[in-house]
Amino acid sequence: MVSEKDHNVSRRQFLTYTLTGVGGFMAAGVVLPMARFAIDPVLQTTGEGDMHAVTEVSELTDEPQRFDFSYEQEDAWYTSETTNSAWIYLDGDDIVALSPVCTHLGCTVNWNSNENHPNEFFCPCHGGRFEKDGTNVAGTPPTEPLHRYKVEVRDGTVYLGKAEPQI
Amino acid sequence: MLQRLYDWVDERLDITPIWRDVADHEVPEHVNPAHHFSAFVYCFGGLTFFIIVIQFLSGMFLTMYYVPDIVNAYESVKYLQGEVAFGMIVRGMHHWGASLVIVMVFLHTLRVFFTGAYKKPRELNWVVGVLMFFILMGLGFTGYLLPWDMKAYFATVVGLQMAESVPIIGTLIKTLLSGDPEIVGAQTLTRFFAIHVFFLPAALLGLMAVHFIMIRRQGIAGPL
Ligand code: FES
């Protein structure tokens, strides 16, 4: 009989290690698929997003106008018609399409709606203001300019893609 | 670090006796497969518990995507199985586990029966076990409807008709289960969902606790 001292790993330790190891493997086998299943929304790759026809170029002026456009939105197992809007104007030859979503906390901004602040986008929620090109006015709550839609013109029709931050 | 954290808590709450009481008890020789291999029959209760734990976990995760609504139920199941990573695995665990748990319960019951472990003083634990068997059947019945496909729907129609065939109170039971005297539809699905994920699991947890406490108090039945 060899004494316990001659072993670097005692019988009890060996059993503890192997049992913990095997148990850990089994637990991981059960838990890992579920964890991956649960965090799937974070790891899903979002596509480039489609371009949606919004209006004709001939409709545009150098004053921002609001245009609503609808498209099919796919939300997991639920597909629905969703309406979005954009403030679009001509800046020389350039077409500028701004998102109406306030960059403070997400209310909807309006053009030229506040008598005290003409020719600005105004957010009624906390008085956020933006200049015509979307730049946020210092001293008001929003911290970044209005997001700008990707614009494409095909055969005189304006198509809008995703709204992206300007900075 | 961990040790010191443990000591800190233990010093204040004296938690060692609690887990010692759970962890330190002799496994009698006649139930230890290392002594007599045939003692593996004593594992079926534990295996039942293990699978029930898996059912609880996989079920919790499935409800992250599932909706108990007749318009969306089928589509949401299709989505979670086909589009979500490991969806097929997690749904598969719940699906196969449901059958396996019945198999394990059956084997566990056979062992208890043939070793006479249900005899005095353990009659009550047998009763609790039978109650849990009924709850598991209920879980199987209610869970079967949830994917809301043809098989689920017609299986439930048949099941409800069985309930209806009970003398005198049959119609009452059926309406209570399906939520409507005639239609098997929107209200049936939400009811079955509520029963499947809240009522029966809660009852099962309570009875399992009672089952285990009784085993600890009475000890494992002696050898044949
Ligand atoms: S949300 Fe527009 S200012 Fe606060």
mmCIF file with all atom_site columns, all heavy atoms in Angstrom, chain A residues 135-150:
data_model
loop_
_atom_site.group_PDB
_atom_site.id
_atom_site.type_symbol
_atom_site.label_atom_id
_atom_site.label_alt_id
_atom_site.label_comp_id
_atom_site.label_asym_id
_atom_site.label_entity_id
_atom_site.label_seq_id
_atom_site.pdbx_PDB_ins_code
_atom_site.Cartn_x
_atom_site.Cartn_y
_atom_site.Cartn_z
_atom_site.occupancy
_atom_site.B_iso_or_equiv
_atom_site.pdbx_formal_charge
_atom_site.auth_seq_id
_atom_site.auth_comp_id
_atom_site.auth_asym_id
_atom_site.auth_atom_id
_atom_site.pdbx_PDB_model_num
ATOM 1   N N   . THR A 1 135 ? -27.974 71.080 -37.903 1.00 0.00 ? 135 THR A N   1
ATOM 2   C CA  . THR A 1 135 ? -27.059 71.323 -36.785 1.00 0.00 ? 135 THR A CA  1
ATOM 3   C C   . THR A 1 135 ? -27.838 71.749 -35.546 1.00 0.00 ? 135 THR A C   1
ATOM 4   O O   . THR A 1 135 ? -28.678 72.632 -35.613 1.00 0.00 ? 135 THR A O   1
ATOM 5   C CB  . THR A 1 135 ? -26.061 72.443 -37.133 1.00 0.00 ? 135 THR A CB  1
ATOM 6   O OG1 . THR A 1 135 ? -25.556 72.191 -38.432 1.00 0.00 ? 135 THR A OG1 1
ATOM 7   C CG2 . THR A 1 135 ? -24.940 72.496 -36.127 1.00 0.00 ? 135 THR A CG2 1
ATOM 8   N N   . ASN A 1 136 ? -27.538 71.085 -34.422 1.00 0.00 ? 136 ASN A N   1
ATOM 9   C CA  . ASN A 1 136 ? -28.239 71.432 -33.198 1.00 0.00 ? 136 ASN A CA  1
ATOM 10  C C   . ASN A 1 136 ? -27.769 72.778 -32.674 1.00 0.00 ? 136 ASN A C   1
ATOM 11  O O   . ASN A 1 136 ? -26.580 73.090 -32.709 1.00 0.00 ? 136 ASN A O   1
ATOM 12  C CB  . ASN A 1 136 ? -28.031 70.348 -32.145 1.00 0.00 ? 136 ASN A CB  1
ATOM 13  C CG  . ASN A 1 136 ? -26.580 69.979 -31.970 1.00 0.00 ? 136 ASN A CG  1
ATOM 14  O OD1 . ASN A 1 136 ? -25.882 69.712 -32.967 1.00 0.00 ? 136 ASN A OD1 1
ATOM 15  N ND2 . ASN A 1 136 ? -26.102 69.987 -30.732 1.00 0.00 ? 136 ASN A ND2 1
ATOM 16  N N   . VAL A 1 137 ? -28.719 73.583 -32.184 1.00 0.00 ? 137 VAL A N   1
ATOM 17  C CA  . VAL A 1 137 ? -28.387 74.900 -31.658 1.00 0.00 ? 137 VAL A CA  1
ATOM 18  C C   . VAL A 1 137 ? -27.839 74.740 -30.251 1.00 0.00 ? 137 VAL A C   1
ATOM 19  O O   . VAL A 1 137 ? -28.458 74.091 -29.401 1.00 0.00 ? 137 VAL A O   1
ATOM 20  C CB  . VAL A 1 137 ? -29.645 75.793 -31.640 1.00 0.00 ? 137 VAL A CB  1
ATOM 21  C CG1 . VAL A 1 137 ? -29.354 77.122 -30.961 1.00 0.00 ? 137 VAL A CG1 1
ATOM 22  C CG2 . VAL A 1 137 ? -30.160 76.003 -33.049 1.00 0.00 ? 137 VAL A CG2 1
ATOM 23  N N   . ALA A 1 138 ? -26.667 75.319 -30.032 1.00 0.00 ? 138 ALA A N   1
ATOM 24  C CA  . ALA A 1 138 ? -26.037 75.202 -28.722 1.00 0.00 ? 138 ALA A CA  1
ATOM 25  C C   . ALA A 1 138 ? -26.938 75.789 -27.652 1.00 0.00 ? 138 ALA A C   1
ATOM 26  O O   . ALA A 1 138 ? -27.650 76.766 -27.899 1.00 0.00 ? 138 ALA A O   1
ATOM 27  C CB  . ALA A 1 138 ? -24.690 75.930 -28.733 1.00 0.00 ? 138 ALA A CB  1
ATOM 28  N N   . GLY A 1 139 ? -26.930 75.173 -26.475 1.00 0.00 ? 139 GLY A N   1
ATOM 29  C CA  . GLY A 1 139 ? -27.743 75.675 -25.373 1.00 0.00 ? 139 GLY A CA  1
ATOM 30  C C   . GLY A 1 139 ? -29.128 75.060 -25.336 1.00 0.00 ? 139 GLY A C   1
ATOM 31  O O   . GLY A 1 139 ? -29.901 75.321 -24.424 1.00 0.00 ? 139 GLY A O   1
ATOM 32  N N   . THR A 1 140 ? -29.467 74.248 -26.330 1.00 0.00 ? 140 THR A N   1
ATOM 33  C CA  . THR A 1 140 ? -30.729 73.502 -26.265 1.00 0.00 ? 140 THR A CA  1
ATOM 34  C C   . THR A 1 140 ? -30.392 72.025 -26.042 1.00 0.00 ? 140 THR A C   1
ATOM 35  O O   . THR A 1 140 ? -29.260 71.608 -26.308 1.00 0.00 ? 140 THR A O   1
ATOM 36  C CB  . THR A 1 140 ? -31.563 73.669 -27.557 1.00 0.00 ? 140 THR A CB  1
ATOM 37  O OG1 . THR A 1 140 ? -30.885 73.036 -28.641 1.00 0.00 ? 140 THR A OG1 1
ATOM 38  C CG2 . THR A 1 140 ? -31.795 75.144 -27.874 1.00 0.00 ? 140 THR A CG2 1
ATOM 39  N N   . PRO A 1 141 ? -31.345 71.228 -25.557 1.00 0.00 ? 141 PRO A N   1
ATOM 40  C CA  . PRO A 1 141 ? -31.024 69.859 -25.108 1.00 0.00 ? 141 PRO A CA  1
ATOM 41  C C   . PRO A 1 141 ? -30.318 68.937 -26.114 1.00 0.00 ? 141 PRO A C   1
ATOM 42  O O   . PRO A 1 141 ? -29.448 68.177 -25.691 1.00 0.00 ? 141 PRO A O   1
ATOM 43  C CB  . PRO A 1 141 ? -32.378 69.288 -24.710 1.00 0.00 ? 141 PRO A CB  1
ATOM 44  C CG  . PRO A 1 141 ? -33.220 70.471 -24.383 1.00 0.00 ? 141 PRO A CG  1
ATOM 45  C CD  . PRO A 1 141 ? -32.758 71.569 -25.274 1.00 0.00 ? 141 PRO A CD  1
ATOM 46  N N   . PRO A 1 142 ? -30.662 68.944 -27.405 1.00 0.00 ? 142 PRO A N   1
ATOM 47  C CA  . PRO A 1 142 ? -30.034 67.948 -28.291 1.00 0.00 ? 142 PRO A CA  1
ATOM 48  C C   . PRO A 1 142 ? -28.513 68.092 -28.334 1.00 0.00 ? 142 PRO A C   1
ATOM 49  O O   . PRO A 1 142 ? -27.990 69.188 -28.247 1.00 0.00 ? 142 PRO A O   1
ATOM 50  C CB  . PRO A 1 142 ? -30.642 68.248 -29.655 1.00 0.00 ? 142 PRO A CB  1
ATOM 51  C CG  . PRO A 1 142 ? -31.920 68.922 -29.357 1.00 0.00 ? 142 PRO A CG  1
ATOM 52  C CD  . PRO A 1 142 ? -31.667 69.732 -28.138 1.00 0.00 ? 142 PRO A CD  1
ATOM 53  N N   . THR A 1 143 ? -27.828 66.961 -28.467 1.00 0.00 ? 143 THR A N   1
ATOM 54  C CA  . THR A 1 143 ? -26.361 66.992 -28.415 1.00 0.00 ? 143 THR A CA  1
ATOM 55  C C   . THR A 1 143 ? -25.711 66.690 -29.750 1.00 0.00 ? 143 THR A C   1
ATOM 56  O O   . THR A 1 143 ? -24.488 66.706 -29.855 1.00 0.00 ? 143 THR A O   1
ATOM 57  C CB  . THR A 1 143 ? -25.849 65.952 -27.405 1.00 0.00 ? 143 THR A CB  1
ATOM 58  O OG1 . THR A 1 143 ? -26.470 64.705 -27.721 1.00 0.00 ? 143 THR A OG1 1
ATOM 59  C CG2 . THR A 1 143 ? -26.192 66.344 -25.995 1.00 0.00 ? 143 THR A CG2 1
ATOM 60  N N   . GLU A 1 144 ? -26.521 66.360 -30.762 1.00 0.00 ? 144 GLU A N   1
ATOM 61  C CA  . GLU A 1 144 ? -25.921 66.135 -32.076 1.00 0.00 ? 144 GLU A CA  1
ATOM 62  C C   . GLU A 1 144 ? -26.930 66.529 -33.156 1.00 0.00 ? 144 GLU A C   1
ATOM 63  O O   . GLU A 1 144 ? -28.123 66.638 -32.871 1.00 0.00 ? 144 GLU A O   1
ATOM 64  C CB  . GLU A 1 144 ? -25.493 64.668 -32.239 1.00 0.00 ? 144 GLU A CB  1
ATOM 65  C CG  . GLU A 1 144 ? -26.635 63.679 -32.114 1.00 0.00 ? 144 GLU A CG  1
ATOM 66  C CD  . GLU A 1 144 ? -26.307 62.339 -32.768 1.00 0.00 ? 144 GLU A CD  1
ATOM 67  O OE1 . GLU A 1 144 ? -25.782 62.324 -33.893 1.00 0.00 ? 144 GLU A OE1 1
ATOM 68  O OE2 . GLU A 1 144 ? -26.616 61.297 -32.149 1.00 0.00 ? 144 GLU A OE2 1
ATOM 69  N N   . PRO A 1 145 ? -26.460 66.759 -34.380 1.00 0.00 ? 145 PRO A N   1
ATOM 70  C CA  . PRO A 1 145 ? -27.357 67.177 -35.462 1.00 0.00 ? 145 PRO A CA  1
ATOM 71  C C   . PRO A 1 145 ? -28.390 66.105 -35.788 1.00 0.00 ? 145 PRO A C   1
ATOM 72  O O   . PRO A 1 145 ? -28.205 64.933 -35.476 1.00 0.00 ? 145 PRO A O   1
ATOM 73  C CB  . PRO A 1 145 ? -26.419 67.366 -36.652 1.00 0.00 ? 145 PRO A CB  1
ATOM 74  C CG  . PRO A 1 145 ? -25.058 67.475 -36.081 1.00 0.00 ? 145 PRO A CG  1
ATOM 75  C CD  . PRO A 1 145 ? -25.059 66.696 -34.819 1.00 0.00 ? 145 PRO A CD  1
ATOM 76  N N   . LEU A 1 146 ? -29.474 66.539 -36.442 1.00 0.00 ? 146 LEU A N   1
ATOM 77  C CA  . LEU A 1 146 ? -30.480 65.587 -36.911 1.00 0.00 ? 146 LEU A CA  1
ATOM 78  C C   . LEU A 1 146 ? -29.829 64.593 -37.858 1.00 0.00 ? 146 LEU A C   1
ATOM 79  O O   . LEU A 1 146 ? -28.917 64.943 -38.603 1.00 0.00 ? 146 LEU A O   1
ATOM 80  C CB  . LEU A 1 146 ? -31.590 66.337 -37.669 1.00 0.00 ? 146 LEU A CB  1
ATOM 81  C CG  . LEU A 1 146 ? -32.508 67.219 -36.827 1.00 0.00 ? 146 LEU A CG  1
ATOM 82  C CD1 . LEU A 1 146 ? -33.428 68.024 -37.745 1.00 0.00 ? 146 LEU A CD1 1
ATOM 83  C CD2 . LEU A 1 146 ? -33.329 66.389 -35.863 1.00 0.00 ? 146 LEU A CD2 1
ATOM 84  N N   . HIS A 1 147 ? -30.292 63.359 -37.818 1.00 0.00 ? 147 HIS A N   1
ATOM 85  C CA  . HIS A 1 147 ? -29.731 62.347 -38.724 1.00 0.00 ? 147 HIS A CA  1
ATOM 86  C C   . HIS A 1 147 ? -30.174 62.621 -40.153 1.00 0.00 ? 147 HIS A C   1
ATOM 87  O O   . HIS A 1 147 ? -31.220 63.191 -40.394 1.00 0.00 ? 147 HIS A O   1
ATOM 88  C CB  . HIS A 1 147 ? -30.167 60.954 -38.277 1.00 0.00 ? 147 HIS A CB  1
ATOM 89  C CG  . HIS A 1 147 ? -29.537 60.545 -36.984 1.00 0.00 ? 147 HIS A CG  1
ATOM 90  N ND1 . HIS A 1 147 ? -29.629 59.279 -36.475 1.00 0.00 ? 147 HIS A ND1 1
ATOM 91  C CD2 . HIS A 1 147 ? -28.802 61.250 -36.086 1.00 0.00 ? 147 HIS A CD2 1
ATOM 92  C CE1 . HIS A 1 147 ? -28.978 59.215 -35.325 1.00 0.00 ? 147 HIS A CE1 1
ATOM 93  N NE2 . HIS A 1 147 ? -28.481 60.399 -35.066 1.00 0.00 ? 147 HIS A NE2 1
ATOM 94  N N   . ARG A 1 148 ? -29.312 62.184 -41.076 1.00 0.00 ? 148 ARG A N   1
ATOM 95  C CA  . ARG A 1 148 ? -29.566 62.487 -42.475 1.00 0.00 ? 148 ARG A CA  1
ATOM 96  C C   . ARG A 1 148 ? -29.767 61.200 -43.251 1.00 0.00 ? 148 ARG A C   1
ATOM 97  O O   . ARG A 1 148 ? -28.977 60.263 -43.142 1.00 0.00 ? 148 ARG A O   1
ATOM 98  C CB  . ARG A 1 148 ? -28.330 63.235 -43.012 1.00 0.00 ? 148 ARG A CB  1
ATOM 99  C CG  . ARG A 1 148 ? -28.613 64.055 -44.227 1.00 0.00 ? 148 ARG A CG  1
ATOM 100 C CD  . ARG A 1 148 ? -27.406 64.895 -44.565 1.00 0.00 ? 148 ARG A CD  1
ATOM 101 N NE  . ARG A 1 148 ? -27.438 65.147 -46.008 1.00 0.00 ? 148 ARG A NE  1
ATOM 102 C CZ  . ARG A 1 148 ? -26.709 66.048 -46.609 1.00 0.00 ? 148 ARG A CZ  1
ATOM 103 N NH1 . ARG A 1 148 ? -25.857 66.780 -45.908 1.00 0.00 ? 148 ARG A NH1 1
ATOM 104 N NH2 . ARG A 1 148 ? -26.808 66.216 -47.902 1.00 0.00 ? 148 ARG A NH2 1
ATOM 105 N N   . TYR A 1 149 ? -30.837 61.155 -44.033 1.00 0.00 ? 149 TYR A N   1
ATOM 106 C CA  . TYR A 1 149 ? -31.119 59.960 -44.837 1.00 0.00 ? 149 TYR A CA  1
ATOM 107 C C   . TYR A 1 149 ? -30.132 59.857 -45.983 1.00 0.00 ? 149 TYR A C   1
ATOM 108 O O   . TYR A 1 149 ? -29.697 60.857 -46.547 1.00 0.00 ? 149 TYR A O   1
ATOM 109 C CB  . TYR A 1 149 ? -32.521 60.030 -45.440 1.00 0.00 ? 149 TYR A CB  1
ATOM 110 C CG  . TYR A 1 149 ? -33.637 59.745 -44.472 1.00 0.00 ? 149 TYR A CG  1
ATOM 111 C CD1 . TYR A 1 149 ? -34.393 60.791 -43.964 1.00 0.00 ? 149 TYR A CD1 1
ATOM 112 C CD2 . TYR A 1 149 ? -33.941 58.449 -44.102 1.00 0.00 ? 149 TYR A CD2 1
ATOM 113 C CE1 . TYR A 1 149 ? -35.444 60.544 -43.088 1.00 0.00 ? 149 TYR A CE1 1
ATOM 114 C CE2 . TYR A 1 149 ? -34.987 58.191 -43.234 1.00 0.00 ? 149 TYR A CE2 1
ATOM 115 C CZ  . TYR A 1 149 ? -35.735 59.239 -42.731 1.00 0.00 ? 149 TYR A CZ  1
ATOM 116 O OH  . TYR A 1 149 ? -36.765 58.990 -41.868 1.00 0.00 ? 149 TYR A OH  1
ATOM 117 N N   . LYS A 1 150 ? -29.818 58.605 -46.338 1.00 0.00 ? 150 LYS A N   1
ATOM 118 C CA  . LYS A 1 150 ? -29.086 58.372 -47.578 1.00 0.00 ? 150 LYS A CA  1
ATOM 119 C C   . LYS A 1 150 ? -30.041 58.651 -48.732 1.00 0.00 ? 150 LYS A C   1
ATOM 120 O O   . LYS A 1 150 ? -31.174 58.163 -48.721 1.00 0.00 ? 150 LYS A O   1
ATOM 121 C CB  . LYS A 1 150 ? -28.613 56.922 -47.651 1.00 0.00 ? 150 LYS A CB  1
ATOM 122 C CG  . LYS A 1 150 ? -27.152 56.767 -47.301 1.00 0.00 ? 150 LYS A CG  1
ATOM 123 C CD  . LYS A 1 150 ? -26.637 55.439 -47.783 1.00 0.00 ? 150 LYS A CD  1
ATOM 124 C CE  . LYS A 1 150 ? -26.875 54.396 -46.719 1.00 0.00 ? 150 LYS A CE  1
ATOM 125 N NZ  . LYS A 1 150 ? -26.585 53.046 -47.043 1.00 0.00 ? 150 LYS A NZ  1
#
